[in-house]
């Protein structure tokens, strides 16, 4: 988990403990309140690993195939 993801996790746990509001968390994380709610729901369903990069370990959808990329160089 990256430092940024760790910071998000810490702030969202504070929201769940009612130490800060969703709006305060959104300002602190520079996210919308709506996205904070989405992350909180995901955190409740999937646990701490819900905040990790979703595409981690997989190939991006828009990645140029290697055969095409090599042919252009």
């Amino acid at each position: 988990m990256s430092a940024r993801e760790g910071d998000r996790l810490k702030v969202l746990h504070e929201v769940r403990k009612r130490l800060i509001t969703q709006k305060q968390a959104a300002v602190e994380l520079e996210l919308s309140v709506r996205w904070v709610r989405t992350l909180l729901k995901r955190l409740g369903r999937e646990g701490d690993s819900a905040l990790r990069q979703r595409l981690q370990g997989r190939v991006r959808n828009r990645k140029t195939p290697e055969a095409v990329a090599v042919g252009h160089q």
Side-chain angles (χ1 to χ4, degrees):
M1 184 175 286
S2 71
R4 183 175 168 189
E5 292 166 342
D7 292 341
R8 277 188 177 186
L9 184 61
K10 180 179 160 270
V11 171
L12 291 174
H13 278 298
E14 289 176 0
V15 173
R16 291 181 81 190
K17 292 178 184 175
R18 298 184 182 264
L19 299 175
I20 62 173
T21 64
Q22 290 179 2
K23 188 172 184 177
Q24 289 169 327
V27 170
E28 191 171 330
L29 296 173
E30 298 178 356
L31 300 171
S32 69
V33 176
R34 186 177 225 171
W35 188 244
V36 169
R37 280 191 208 117
T38 300
L39 290 174
L40 285 168
K41 286 179 189 174
R42 193 184 295 169
L43 185 62
R45 276 195 320 262
E46 302 173 28
D48 291 354
S49 64
L51 300 182
R52 295 175 71 197
Q53 170 57 261
R54 305 292 271 181
L55 198 59
Q56 190 170 11
R58 288 182 275 164
V59 179
R60 297 177 292 143
N61 291 335
R62 296 177 54 91
K63 184 175 181 182
T64 305
E66 203 166 309
V68 174
V70 173
H72 285 280
Q73 291 179 356

